[in-house]
Structure formats: C-alpha cells, structure tokens
Amino acid sequence: MTTHGIGVSPGTAVGPTVVVSTVRITPPGDTTEDPALAEASVSAALEAVAQDMDVRAQRAPEAAKAVLEATATMARDPGLLQAAAMQIAEGHGPVDALHHAVEQYCGLLASLGGYMAERQEDLRDVFQRAGARLMGLPAPGVPTLTTPSVLVALDLAPADTATLDPAMVLGIVTEGGGVTSHTAILAAQLGIPAVVQAPGVMVAAPASVGLDGSTGEVVFNPSDEVAAALIERNERRVALQSRAQGPGRTRDGQAVQILANIGTVDDALRAAAADVEGSGLFRSEFLFLDRAEAPSVDEQVATYTKVFEAFGSRKVVVRTLDAGADKPLAFADLGEEENPALGVRGLRLQRVRTDLLDDQLIALARAREATGADVWVMAPMVATAEEAGWFTHRCRDAGLPMAGTMVEVPAAAIRSANVLAVCDFASIGTNDLSQYLFAADRMQGRLAPLLDGWQPALWDLIVATVRGAGGKPVGICGEVAGDPLLALVAVGAGITSLSMAVGKVGSVKAALAMHDAATCLAMLEAVLSASSPEAAKAAVLELVDDEIRSLLG
C-alpha cells in the first residue's frame, strides 16, 4: 500500500517502524479542597518541565536549542499558571485545572492561525509532560531505539524531535504536522528524511516503511524491489544535483539567482555554507517574537551583523517585521481583531508603530555600513502604491538604498506597475498570495487543494506582477520556489530569483540546468492554458526532461 503526504525533509529511508504511542493523559475529573496546595503542585510540575527542556537544550544541536528554549518559556508563562489558578479556585483539581488552562490558550492560538496555530501542539506537549508528573506517570515521548528505525506518529513534540539521533532515526512519518511545524523544520535541520500529513499511517501501523522526503511518497511494508527502487531513485537524484553547481542557470545560460530562506543567525550560518547566491528572505520577526519588550537597536545591529558577515558579498534580502495575525507581539498589542489575517499585520502594524520600523531600519543600516553587505529591505503585506512609497521613503531616510515590497496581496500583483514605480524590487510570497487569492485559510487542511502551487489563477497574478515591474527584479520566496517543476514555470514567467529552504537548492538547480528558457516559457503557457492544477502539472510533465521526470516518484 502507498500513501502520499507532504515531503518536508529530502532523502529516502527504508526500515522497520517504531510507532510513537498515541496514549494521552486525559483529565481525571479531579477536584481539590486545598487550592493553595493544588496551585503549588501545578507550579512545580510546570517548572519541572521547563527545567527538563533546559537540560535537553544543553545537550541538543545548536539548531534545536531555540525550539526547546521556547517550550521551556511556554511552561514558565505566568499567564498559564494564572489561568490554571483560576480553574483551581472554581474547584478543579490540578490536572483538570491545567488542562482547561492549556485548552484556553490553544483556542487563542488557533484563532490566530498560521505559525501561532501550529504552536498548539507544543503547548499541549507541555500539558502532557506536566500532567504526567502530577499523576505520577512516566513522561511521554519517543521510546529508546535499539535499532535504526523509521518513527511513525500522529505528530512529534519539538522536545522529542530536537533530540533525535540521526544515526538511529532513519526517517519520520506523521499523520499530522505541516510544512512549518517543528517536526518539519527540525527534521530538515538534522538531515532526517521526513513526510508529514501522511493519511492512514497510524491505522495501518506497518511493520516497515519506505519513504521519500522529497515527493511525500510513503510505502507500507515495501518489498525488497520497491525498497531498492526508492534508494536508487535518491542516489540518482543526489548524483544529478551534484552536477549543478555554482550560480543558477538554465541550460542556455539564462541567470536565475538561487537564494536561501532564513530566520535566525544559525539559519544564516548553515545557508551561507551552502551553494547559494545569498538569502532571498531573512524573516527578521523571529528576533521579536516571544518577548515582553522589543529588541534594542544595539541588539538588532549585533544580530544583523552576524547574518550579513555570514554571507559576505552575497545579497541578503531582509523582510522587515512581519507581525500581527499569526505572530502577535506582547509589546505591540493593538487589541482583539475579528479576522487577524485581514487586519493590522505586516506593514500596517509598522505604520501604527513607526518606532518599531524606524529602529529596525536604523539597525539594518548600521549593520550594512559595518559589513559592507549587499542589503535589500522589503516590506510585508503591501497592498497599494502609496504604502510602497511610504516604506521606500522610510528606507531612503535610514540610508538603505534598495527598498522593495512583498507581493502577498492580490491588489499589489494586479497594480504592480504602480507599486514597483515607487520601489526597487518585489518578492512574491506565494503562500499568502494564494491564501488571499482563493480566500482559503492556509491552516485549513480541507482547503489545501485551493492552495496548490499549480493553480493557474496564481500564475495569472505572478505574470501580472512581472509584466508590471517594468524590468525591475521580481523574485519568489514562497513554497513554489523550492519545487523544481514550478521553478521552471517561474523562469518562464520572468522571475529573476528563487529563494527556498537550503535542502531544496540542489533539485531546483538541476532542473534549471536541464531546460532552456524557451521550454520554461512553454511550460508557463501550458499552466496558463490549463483549467485545473492537475491539468497544469500534467501538461508541464509532458515538457520535462526524462531524467527529471524519473525522479519524481
């Protein structure tokens, strides 16, 4: 039996499975007659979880420390303990009280959507660990592995994923999770092939599994022949990628910058060591999240300097603070919104809190001056030419010569001639652009077909953006950029740069090197002529080099 999920960490794996237990602590319906004692026990359990995360962080690889530290911060959140105390005051016992408090917080995170919604499972993991302590039960988690295996789970807690041993964990398959979940991010950082959202894998509970972390294919109990084919396919993929080195080029020499998406200094160091031409998306908001106060200018300068130094003379495109909606800030709370995704987020928040933007631009300019780096700065959530012009003026005043805009709102794509007339470049965020184009929440799994990168209507907007740009650079930094086939379509549309997760660079470079610009244009025309994403992909596959097609599973 074969199922397909979402490949989030490239490579193939074949091996026996270890099913991570789905047993969960359920509230026992306990009550208390001593509120002070109950609150103290909850406080002690949460602090014990936080200390456990601290210890794990000390042992974990550098890439995983921040995840474990974030979990510790959740456990120590005074608001969580306060919410549990309120439940205890109403007569609930410590386990029930903590469960109610956690679920209240999870409801808030779910309403925010996006990145914050995916943190629900992190918070529920805190409850499972603290609840186990309160009930005198063993802590949940991945069992000790005695032989190299493939982990199969509904999902993995970040505390577990962060400390996995790549020598013992051949691969990961989960029924839940998403492309921005900690399971996905950490698996890619650890080099463990992984597939998320693989339907039926827990029900089937196969004794062995073969998986392809590039295509999302998962084979239950594969035969020797199927297992060998998976491994051989990956070997050919790696060999093909190794032939495509240096700057991105089509077969006939058309340049396409291949860049990396980053979010932290550690990301920058890893990406800078790879064969990329710079970073096309530095998500600077990770410096601001989970803090009571905004980072100072000096702190920002220190961080940006490290990032710029890592890339040397290579371009770094910085997205200014993209907060609000799924990434609320404690120090910039503008009140509750009915629909945060359509509310005061991105540049809209920056225009309300100009101090946050101005401090960031000053810090970026100081770091650029100190390093001599090639720094491009762009604003998120731009809808109009007036907004783009306001941002560009702010950048110029700070001494930043390259000011651009994210194209995530359909209005900016449709009127790109006006928007690009007042700034220097654009980068298309296909994830959000699809969400707003199809009125489909990115976190609603049932709506995933609408957010398919092969949707012809999405490419109508991409083409409109490039045509209106008047020759100014237009890149893509959404998920589309890391798909080797869609990257070819993007070149046909006139996209000048593609920014992606580092693990996807080799496949995209190889695909470009095996196709000429004329073929890419024909692929674009095939997509625009199609009536569905399925028809669009099928039409492009007819034009793809046979060697690339054979690696797609």
Side-chain angles (χ1 to χ4, degrees), residues 339-374:
N339 192 335
L342 300 178
V344 184
R345 56 166 294 199
L347 183 64
R348 299 169 185 179
L349 175 63
Q350 295 173 16
R351 297 190 76 172
V352 175
R353 289 292 307 273
T354 54
D355 57 314
L356 295 177
L357 176 62
D358 289 343
D359 281 356
Q360 185 172 26
L361 295 179
I362 290 169
L364 287 167
R366 282 174 51 185
R368 172 181 173 271
E369 183 177 358
T371 60
D374 184 12

PDB file of all heavy atoms in Angstrom, residues 339-374:
ATOM      1  N   ASN A 339     -10.800  39.224  12.444  1.00  0.00           N
ATOM      2  CA  ASN A 339     -10.088  38.375  11.491  1.00  0.00           C
ATOM      3  C   ASN A 339      -8.657  38.897  11.360  1.00  0.00           C
ATOM      4  O   ASN A 339      -8.361  39.705  10.482  1.00  0.00           O
ATOM      5  CB  ASN A 339     -10.784  38.377  10.130  1.00  0.00           C
ATOM      6  CG  ASN A 339     -10.250  37.291   9.207  1.00  0.00           C
ATOM      7  OD1 ASN A 339      -9.118  36.845   9.361  1.00  0.00           O
ATOM      8  ND2 ASN A 339     -11.057  36.864   8.267  1.00  0.00           N
ATOM      9  N   PRO A 340      -7.756  38.431  12.226  1.00  0.00           N
ATOM     10  CA  PRO A 340      -6.391  38.988  12.247  1.00  0.00           C
ATOM     11  C   PRO A 340      -5.654  38.856  10.925  1.00  0.00           C
ATOM     12  O   PRO A 340      -4.826  39.707  10.592  1.00  0.00           O
ATOM     13  CB  PRO A 340      -5.699  38.167  13.345  1.00  0.00           C
ATOM     14  CG  PRO A 340      -6.812  37.660  14.203  1.00  0.00           C
ATOM     15  CD  PRO A 340      -7.967  37.425  13.273  1.00  0.00           C
ATOM     16  N   ALA A 341      -5.923  37.801  10.151  1.00  0.00           N
ATOM     17  CA  ALA A 341      -5.221  37.625   8.880  1.00  0.00           C
ATOM     18  C   ALA A 341      -5.549  38.750   7.901  1.00  0.00           C
ATOM     19  O   ALA A 341      -4.786  39.021   6.970  1.00  0.00           O
ATOM     20  CB  ALA A 341      -5.568  36.274   8.261  1.00  0.00           C
ATOM     21  N   LEU A 342      -6.685  39.393   8.092  1.00  0.00           N
ATOM     22  CA  LEU A 342      -7.084  40.510   7.229  1.00  0.00           C
ATOM     23  C   LEU A 342      -7.003  41.838   7.976  1.00  0.00           C
ATOM     24  O   LEU A 342      -7.584  42.828   7.536  1.00  0.00           O
ATOM     25  CB  LEU A 342      -8.522  40.295   6.723  1.00  0.00           C
ATOM     26  CG  LEU A 342      -8.771  39.036   5.898  1.00  0.00           C
ATOM     27  CD1 LEU A 342     -10.246  38.935   5.519  1.00  0.00           C
ATOM     28  CD2 LEU A 342      -7.904  39.039   4.648  1.00  0.00           C
ATOM     29  N   GLY A 343      -6.278  41.832   9.053  1.00  0.00           N
ATOM     30  CA  GLY A 343      -6.257  43.010   9.904  1.00  0.00           C
ATOM     31  C   GLY A 343      -4.952  43.782   9.867  1.00  0.00           C
ATOM     32  O   GLY A 343      -4.295  43.902   8.830  1.00  0.00           O
ATOM     33  N   VAL A 344      -4.565  44.302  11.034  1.00  0.00           N
ATOM     34  CA  VAL A 344      -3.381  45.159  11.143  1.00  0.00           C
ATOM     35  C   VAL A 344      -2.159  44.271  11.339  1.00  0.00           C
ATOM     36  O   VAL A 344      -1.758  43.960  12.459  1.00  0.00           O
ATOM     37  CB  VAL A 344      -3.535  46.161  12.295  1.00  0.00           C
ATOM     38  CG1 VAL A 344      -2.333  47.109  12.335  1.00  0.00           C
ATOM     39  CG2 VAL A 344      -4.820  46.954  12.145  1.00  0.00           C
ATOM     40  N   ARG A 345      -1.575  43.842  10.237  1.00  0.00           N
ATOM     41  CA  ARG A 345      -0.388  42.992  10.264  1.00  0.00           C
ATOM     42  C   ARG A 345       0.629  43.532   9.268  1.00  0.00           C
ATOM     43  O   ARG A 345       0.299  44.334   8.400  1.00  0.00           O
ATOM     44  CB  ARG A 345      -0.742  41.541   9.923  1.00  0.00           C
ATOM     45  CG  ARG A 345      -1.444  41.358   8.597  1.00  0.00           C
ATOM     46  CD  ARG A 345      -1.476  39.907   8.156  1.00  0.00           C
ATOM     47  NE  ARG A 345      -0.129  39.413   7.861  1.00  0.00           N
ATOM     48  CZ  ARG A 345       0.122  38.340   7.123  1.00  0.00           C
ATOM     49  NH1 ARG A 345      -0.868  37.645   6.603  1.00  0.00           N
ATOM     50  NH2 ARG A 345       1.365  37.960   6.885  1.00  0.00           N
ATOM     51  N   GLY A 346       1.869  43.064   9.394  1.00  0.00           N
ATOM     52  CA  GLY A 346       2.899  43.476   8.450  1.00  0.00           C
ATOM     53  C   GLY A 346       3.120  44.977   8.433  1.00  0.00           C
ATOM     54  O   GLY A 346       3.248  45.639   9.474  1.00  0.00           O
ATOM     55  N   LEU A 347       3.149  45.555   7.243  1.00  0.00           N
ATOM     56  CA  LEU A 347       3.382  46.995   7.090  1.00  0.00           C
ATOM     57  C   LEU A 347       2.309  47.816   7.803  1.00  0.00           C
ATOM     58  O   LEU A 347       2.582  48.918   8.288  1.00  0.00           O
ATOM     59  CB  LEU A 347       3.428  47.357   5.603  1.00  0.00           C
ATOM     60  CG  LEU A 347       3.743  48.822   5.285  1.00  0.00           C
ATOM     61  CD1 LEU A 347       5.144  49.186   5.745  1.00  0.00           C
ATOM     62  CD2 LEU A 347       3.579  49.107   3.800  1.00  0.00           C
ATOM     63  N   ARG A 348       1.101  47.277   7.888  1.00  0.00           N
ATOM     64  CA  ARG A 348       0.022  48.011   8.556  1.00  0.00           C
ATOM     65  C   ARG A 348       0.354  48.244  10.028  1.00  0.00           C
ATOM     66  O   ARG A 348       0.076  49.311  10.574  1.00  0.00           O
ATOM     67  CB  ARG A 348      -1.286  47.236   8.412  1.00  0.00           C
ATOM     68  CG  ARG A 348      -1.714  47.050   6.960  1.00  0.00           C
ATOM     69  CD  ARG A 348      -2.856  46.059   6.822  1.00  0.00           C
ATOM     70  NE  ARG A 348      -3.169  45.822   5.412  1.00  0.00           N
ATOM     71  CZ  ARG A 348      -4.107  44.984   4.987  1.00  0.00           C
ATOM     72  NH1 ARG A 348      -4.818  44.283   5.872  1.00  0.00           N
ATOM     73  NH2 ARG A 348      -4.331  44.822   3.694  1.00  0.00           N
ATOM     74  N   LEU A 349       0.945  47.230  10.665  1.00  0.00           N
ATOM     75  CA  LEU A 349       1.379  47.400  12.050  1.00  0.00           C
ATOM     76  C   LEU A 349       2.544  48.376  12.117  1.00  0.00           C
ATOM     77  O   LEU A 349       2.612  49.225  13.023  1.00  0.00           O
ATOM     78  CB  LEU A 349       1.786  46.047  12.643  1.00  0.00           C
ATOM     79  CG  LEU A 349       2.372  46.097  14.063  1.00  0.00           C
ATOM     80  CD1 LEU A 349       1.345  46.616  15.056  1.00  0.00           C
ATOM     81  CD2 LEU A 349       2.869  44.718  14.479  1.00  0.00           C
ATOM     82  N   GLN A 350       3.457  48.298  11.162  1.00  0.00           N
ATOM     83  CA  GLN A 350       4.610  49.194  11.146  1.00  0.00           C
ATOM     84  C   GLN A 350       4.180  50.655  11.036  1.00  0.00           C
ATOM     85  O   GLN A 350       4.823  51.551  11.607  1.00  0.00           O
ATOM     86  CB  GLN A 350       5.536  48.838   9.988  1.00  0.00           C
ATOM     87  CG  GLN A 350       6.190  47.461  10.105  1.00  0.00           C
ATOM     88  CD  GLN A 350       6.956  47.085   8.850  1.00  0.00           C
ATOM     89  OE1 GLN A 350       7.246  47.928   8.014  1.00  0.00           O
ATOM     90  NE2 GLN A 350       7.279  45.802   8.719  1.00  0.00           N
ATOM     91  N   ARG A 351       3.086  50.905  10.336  1.00  0.00           N
ATOM     92  CA  ARG A 351       2.639  52.296  10.164  1.00  0.00           C
ATOM     93  C   ARG A 351       1.964  52.813  11.425  1.00  0.00           C
ATOM     94  O   ARG A 351       1.902  54.036  11.631  1.00  0.00           O
ATOM     95  CB  ARG A 351       1.704  52.407   8.963  1.00  0.00           C
ATOM     96  CG  ARG A 351       2.391  52.054   7.660  1.00  0.00           C
ATOM     97  CD  ARG A 351       1.545  52.393   6.440  1.00  0.00           C
ATOM     98  NE  ARG A 351       1.550  53.830   6.173  1.00  0.00           N
ATOM     99  CZ  ARG A 351       1.021  54.381   5.086  1.00  0.00           C
ATOM    100  NH1 ARG A 351       0.450  53.616   4.155  1.00  0.00           N
ATOM    101  NH2 ARG A 351       1.061  55.676   4.905  1.00  0.00           N
ATOM    102  N   VAL A 352       1.468  51.903  12.251  1.00  0.00           N
ATOM    103  CA  VAL A 352       0.924  52.308  13.543  1.00  0.00           C
ATOM    104  C   VAL A 352       2.056  52.493  14.549  1.00  0.00           C
ATOM    105  O   VAL A 352       2.082  53.458  15.311  1.00  0.00           O
ATOM    106  CB  VAL A 352      -0.090  51.262  14.058  1.00  0.00           C
ATOM    107  CG1 VAL A 352      -0.566  51.637  15.467  1.00  0.00           C
ATOM    108  CG2 VAL A 352      -1.276  51.155  13.121  1.00  0.00           C
ATOM    109  N   ARG A 353       3.008  51.542  14.542  1.00  0.00           N
ATOM    110  CA  ARG A 353       4.153  51.590  15.445  1.00  0.00           C
ATOM    111  C   ARG A 353       5.398  51.922  14.628  1.00  0.00           C
ATOM    112  O   ARG A 353       6.268  51.095  14.407  1.00  0.00           O
ATOM    113  CB  ARG A 353       4.307  50.256  16.169  1.00  0.00           C
ATOM    114  CG  ARG A 353       3.235  49.978  17.216  1.00  0.00           C
ATOM    115  CD  ARG A 353       3.347  50.931  18.416  1.00  0.00           C
ATOM    116  NE  ARG A 353       4.688  50.915  18.981  1.00  0.00           N
ATOM    117  CZ  ARG A 353       5.076  50.048  19.911  1.00  0.00           C
ATOM    118  NH1 ARG A 353       4.230  49.148  20.382  1.00  0.00           N
ATOM    119  NH2 ARG A 353       6.306  50.077  20.391  1.00  0.00           N
ATOM    120  N   THR A 354       5.474  53.166  14.164  1.00  0.00           N
ATOM    121  CA  THR A 354       6.607  53.584  13.325  1.00  0.00           C
ATOM    122  C   THR A 354       7.926  53.480  14.074  1.00  0.00           C
ATOM    123  O   THR A 354       8.993  53.340  13.465  1.00  0.00           O
ATOM    124  CB  THR A 354       6.423  55.023  12.827  1.00  0.00           C
ATOM    125  OG1 THR A 354       6.190  55.889  13.952  1.00  0.00           O
ATOM    126  CG2 THR A 354       5.244  55.113  11.872  1.00  0.00           C
ATOM    127  N   ASP A 355       7.875  53.525  15.417  1.00  0.00           N
ATOM    128  CA  ASP A 355       9.116  53.409  16.191  1.00  0.00           C
ATOM    129  C   ASP A 355       9.771  52.044  15.974  1.00  0.00           C
ATOM    130  O   ASP A 355      11.000  51.944  15.886  1.00  0.00           O
ATOM    131  CB  ASP A 355       8.842  53.634  17.674  1.00  0.00           C
ATOM    132  CG  ASP A 355       7.795  52.660  18.231  1.00  0.00           C
ATOM    133  OD1 ASP A 355       6.748  52.464  17.579  1.00  0.00           O
ATOM    134  OD2 ASP A 355       8.025  52.096  19.321  1.00  0.00           O
ATOM    135  N   LEU A 356       8.946  51.000  15.872  1.00  0.00           N
ATOM    136  CA  LEU A 356       9.490  49.659  15.647  1.00  0.00           C
ATOM    137  C   LEU A 356      10.178  49.574  14.292  1.00  0.00           C
ATOM    138  O   LEU A 356      11.271  49.023  14.162  1.00  0.00           O
ATOM    139  CB  LEU A 356       8.378  48.612  15.738  1.00  0.00           C
ATOM    140  CG  LEU A 356       7.716  48.440  17.109  1.00  0.00           C
ATOM    141  CD1 LEU A 356       6.582  47.416  17.011  1.00  0.00           C
ATOM    142  CD2 LEU A 356       8.731  48.001  18.156  1.00  0.00           C
ATOM    143  N   LEU A 357       9.534  50.126  13.260  1.00  0.00           N
ATOM    144  CA  LEU A 357      10.124  50.095  11.932  1.00  0.00           C
ATOM    145  C   LEU A 357      11.384  50.954  11.862  1.00  0.00           C
ATOM    146  O   LEU A 357      12.422  50.521  11.334  1.00  0.00           O
ATOM    147  CB  LEU A 357       9.119  50.571  10.883  1.00  0.00           C
ATOM    148  CG  LEU A 357       9.670  50.681   9.457  1.00  0.00           C
ATOM    149  CD1 LEU A 357      10.119  49.319   8.940  1.00  0.00           C
ATOM    150  CD2 LEU A 357       8.639  51.296   8.515  1.00  0.00           C
ATOM    151  N   ASP A 358      11.305  52.164  12.378  1.00  0.00           N
ATOM    152  CA  ASP A 358      12.457  53.056  12.283  1.00  0.00           C
ATOM    153  C   ASP A 358      13.666  52.497  13.021  1.00  0.00           C
ATOM    154  O   ASP A 358      14.800  52.564  12.521  1.00  0.00           O
ATOM    155  CB  ASP A 358      12.101  54.442  12.838  1.00  0.00           C
ATOM    156  CG  ASP A 358      11.143  55.205  11.932  1.00  0.00           C
ATOM    157  OD1 ASP A 358      11.020  54.810  10.758  1.00  0.00           O
ATOM    158  OD2 ASP A 358      10.518  56.171  12.398  1.00  0.00           O
ATOM    159  N   ASP A 359      13.453  51.919  14.196  1.00  0.00           N
ATOM    160  CA  ASP A 359      14.564  51.296  14.917  1.00  0.00           C
ATOM    161  C   ASP A 359      15.166  50.154  14.098  1.00  0.00           C
ATOM    162  O   ASP A 359      16.392  49.988  14.040  1.00  0.00           O
ATOM    163  CB  ASP A 359      14.090  50.747  16.266  1.00  0.00           C
ATOM    164  CG  ASP A 359      13.962  51.843  17.320  1.00  0.00           C
ATOM    165  OD1 ASP A 359      14.318  52.996  17.024  1.00  0.00           O
ATOM    166  OD2 ASP A 359      13.496  51.527  18.431  1.00  0.00           O
ATOM    167  N   GLN A 360      14.298  49.375  13.459  1.00  0.00           N
ATOM    168  CA  GLN A 360      14.812  48.257  12.670  1.00  0.00           C
ATOM    169  C   GLN A 360      15.602  48.746  11.469  1.00  0.00           C
ATOM    170  O   GLN A 360      16.678  48.209  11.158  1.00  0.00           O
ATOM    171  CB  GLN A 360      13.660  47.355  12.213  1.00  0.00           C
ATOM    172  CG  GLN A 360      14.159  46.105  11.476  1.00  0.00           C
ATOM    173  CD  GLN A 360      13.066  45.104  11.189  1.00  0.00           C
ATOM    174  OE1 GLN A 360      11.899  45.461  11.077  1.00  0.00           O
ATOM    175  NE2 GLN A 360      13.441  43.844  11.053  1.00  0.00           N
ATOM    176  N   LEU A 361      15.115  49.764  10.792  1.00  0.00           N
ATOM    177  CA  LEU A 361      15.827  50.287   9.626  1.00  0.00           C
ATOM    178  C   LEU A 361      17.164  50.909  10.027  1.00  0.00           C
ATOM    179  O   LEU A 361      18.169  50.742   9.329  1.00  0.00           O
ATOM    180  CB  LEU A 361      14.958  51.311   8.898  1.00  0.00           C
ATOM    181  CG  LEU A 361      13.659  50.777   8.273  1.00  0.00           C
ATOM    182  CD1 LEU A 361      12.886  51.903   7.605  1.00  0.00           C
ATOM    183  CD2 LEU A 361      13.950  49.663   7.280  1.00  0.00           C
ATOM    184  N   ILE A 362      17.178  51.603  11.156  1.00  0.00           N
ATOM    185  CA  ILE A 362      18.445  52.166  11.644  1.00  0.00           C
ATOM    186  C   ILE A 362      19.447  51.049  11.926  1.00  0.00           C
ATOM    187  O   ILE A 362      20.626  51.129  11.558  1.00  0.00           O
ATOM    188  CB  ILE A 362      18.194  53.008  12.917  1.00  0.00           C
ATOM    189  CG1 ILE A 362      17.439  54.298  12.566  1.00  0.00           C
ATOM    190  CG2 ILE A 362      19.509  53.336  13.621  1.00  0.00           C
ATOM    191  CD1 ILE A 362      16.919  55.053  13.782  1.00  0.00           C
ATOM    192  N   ALA A 363      18.972  49.994  12.572  1.00  0.00           N
ATOM    193  CA  ALA A 363      19.856  48.868  12.898  1.00  0.00           C
ATOM    194  C   ALA A 363      20.373  48.189  11.635  1.00  0.00           C
ATOM    195  O   ALA A 363      21.554  47.831  11.544  1.00  0.00           O
ATOM    196  CB  ALA A 363      19.108  47.868  13.777  1.00  0.00           C
ATOM    197  N   LEU A 364      19.500  47.989  10.661  1.00  0.00           N
ATOM    198  CA  LEU A 364      19.918  47.374   9.395  1.00  0.00           C
ATOM    199  C   LEU A 364      20.951  48.244   8.685  1.00  0.00           C
ATOM    200  O   LEU A 364      21.941  47.733   8.139  1.00  0.00           O
ATOM    201  CB  LEU A 364      18.701  47.156   8.495  1.00  0.00           C
ATOM    202  CG  LEU A 364      17.755  46.032   8.916  1.00  0.00           C
ATOM    203  CD1 LEU A 364      16.440  46.113   8.142  1.00  0.00           C
ATOM    204  CD2 LEU A 364      18.404  44.667   8.685  1.00  0.00           C
ATOM    205  N   ALA A 365      20.734  49.552   8.686  1.00  0.00           N
ATOM    206  CA  ALA A 365      21.674  50.457   8.025  1.00  0.00           C
ATOM    207  C   ALA A 365      23.034  50.431   8.726  1.00  0.00           C
ATOM    208  O   ALA A 365      24.089  50.431   8.070  1.00  0.00           O
ATOM    209  CB  ALA A 365      21.105  51.876   8.010  1.00  0.00           C
ATOM    210  N   ARG A 366      23.042  50.395  10.051  1.00  0.00           N
ATOM    211  CA  ARG A 366      24.313  50.351  10.793  1.00  0.00           C
ATOM    212  C   ARG A 366      25.054  49.044  10.527  1.00  0.00           C
ATOM    213  O   ARG A 366      26.278  49.029  10.335  1.00  0.00           O
ATOM    214  CB  ARG A 366      24.040  50.527  12.280  1.00  0.00           C
ATOM    215  CG  ARG A 366      23.767  51.985  12.685  1.00  0.00           C
ATOM    216  CD  ARG A 366      23.358  52.109  14.151  1.00  0.00           C
ATOM    217  NE  ARG A 366      24.282  51.439  15.069  1.00  0.00           N
ATOM    218  CZ  ARG A 366      24.066  51.335  16.390  1.00  0.00           C
ATOM    219  NH1 ARG A 366      22.981  51.893  16.926  1.00  0.00           N
ATOM    220  NH2 ARG A 366      24.936  50.713  17.147  1.00  0.00           N
ATOM    221  N   ALA A 367      24.304  47.935  10.498  1.00  0.00           N
ATOM    222  CA  ALA A 367      24.944  46.638  10.225  1.00  0.00           C
ATOM    223  C   ALA A 367      25.461  46.580   8.798  1.00  0.00           C
ATOM    224  O   ALA A 367      26.533  46.018   8.535  1.00  0.00           O
ATOM    225  CB  ALA A 367      23.953  45.510  10.481  1.00  0.00           C
ATOM    226  N   ARG A 368      24.728  47.174   7.876  1.00  0.00           N
ATOM    227  CA  ARG A 368      25.177  47.215   6.468  1.00  0.00           C
ATOM    228  C   ARG A 368      26.456  48.032   6.346  1.00  0.00           C
ATOM    229  O   ARG A 368      27.414  47.629   5.663  1.00  0.00           O
ATOM    230  CB  ARG A 368      24.076  47.822   5.605  1.00  0.00           C
ATOM    231  CG  ARG A 368      24.496  48.106   4.165  1.00  0.00           C
ATOM    232  CD  ARG A 368      23.359  48.734   3.360  1.00  0.00           C
ATOM    233  NE  ARG A 368      23.827  49.142   2.061  1.00  0.00           N
ATOM    234  CZ  ARG A 368      24.347  50.338   1.783  1.00  0.00           C
ATOM    235  NH1 ARG A 368      24.448  51.252   2.746  1.00  0.00           N
ATOM    236  NH2 ARG A 368      24.758  50.627   0.570  1.00  0.00           N
ATOM    237  N   GLU A 369      26.489  49.167   7.025  1.00  0.00           N
ATOM    238  CA  GLU A 369      27.678  50.027   6.954  1.00  0.00           C
ATOM    239  C   GLU A 369      28.886  49.334   7.575  1.00  0.00           C
ATOM    240  O   GLU A 369      30.005  49.419   7.068  1.00  0.00           O
ATOM    241  CB  GLU A 369      27.392  51.342   7.680  1.00  0.00           C
ATOM    242  CG  GLU A 369      28.545  52.335   7.606  1.00  0.00           C
ATOM    243  CD  GLU A 369      28.213  53.659   8.270  1.00  0.00           C
ATOM    244  OE1 GLU A 369      27.070  53.806   8.757  1.00  0.00           O
ATOM    245  OE2 GLU A 369      29.095  54.531   8.308  1.00  0.00           O
ATOM    246  N   ALA A 370      28.657  48.585   8.660  1.00  0.00           N
ATOM    247  CA  ALA A 370      29.762  47.922   9.356  1.00  0.00           C
ATOM    248  C   ALA A 370      30.337  46.765   8.549  1.00  0.00           C
ATOM    249  O   ALA A 370      31.529  46.445   8.673  1.00  0.00           O
ATOM    250  CB  ALA A 370      29.288  47.424  10.718  1.00  0.00           C
ATOM    251  N   THR A 371      29.506  46.141   7.720  1.00  0.00           N
ATOM    252  CA  THR A 371      29.948  44.946   6.997  1.00  0.00           C
ATOM    253  C   THR A 371      30.160  45.161   5.509  1.00  0.00           C
ATOM    254  O   THR A 371      30.786  44.330   4.844  1.00  0.00           O
ATOM    255  CB  THR A 371      28.903  43.821   7.168  1.00  0.00           C
ATOM    256  OG1 THR A 371      27.638  44.270   6.641  1.00  0.00           O
ATOM    257  CG2 THR A 371      28.735  43.447   8.632  1.00  0.00           C
ATOM    258  N   GLY A 372      29.611  46.239   4.964  1.00  0.00           N
ATOM    259  CA  GLY A 372      29.681  46.459   3.522  1.00  0.00           C
ATOM    260  C   GLY A 372      28.819  45.484   2.744  1.00  0.00           C
ATOM    261  O   GLY A 372      29.052  45.222   1.562  1.00  0.00           O
ATOM    262  N   ALA A 373      27.804  44.923   3.405  1.00  0.00           N
ATOM    263  CA  ALA A 373      26.979  43.879   2.787  1.00  0.00           C
ATOM    264  C   ALA A 373      26.032  44.448   1.735  1.00  0.00           C
ATOM    265  O   ALA A 373      25.703  45.638   1.727  1.00  0.00           O
ATOM    266  CB  ALA A 373      26.171  43.156   3.868  1.00  0.00           C
ATOM    267  N   ASP A 374      25.591  43.556   0.847  1.00  0.00           N
ATOM    268  CA  ASP A 374      24.604  43.895  -0.187  1.00  0.00           C
ATOM    269  C   ASP A 374      23.225  43.635   0.399  1.00  0.00           C
ATOM    270  O   ASP A 374      22.667  42.537   0.294  1.00  0.00           O
ATOM    271  CB  ASP A 374      24.846  43.030  -1.425  1.00  0.00           C
ATOM    272  CG  ASP A 374      23.927  43.402  -2.582  1.00  0.00           C
ATOM    273  OD1 ASP A 374      23.267  44.464  -2.516  1.00  0.00           O
ATOM    274  OD2 ASP A 374      23.844  42.614  -3.555  1.00  0.00           O
TER     275      ASP A 374
END
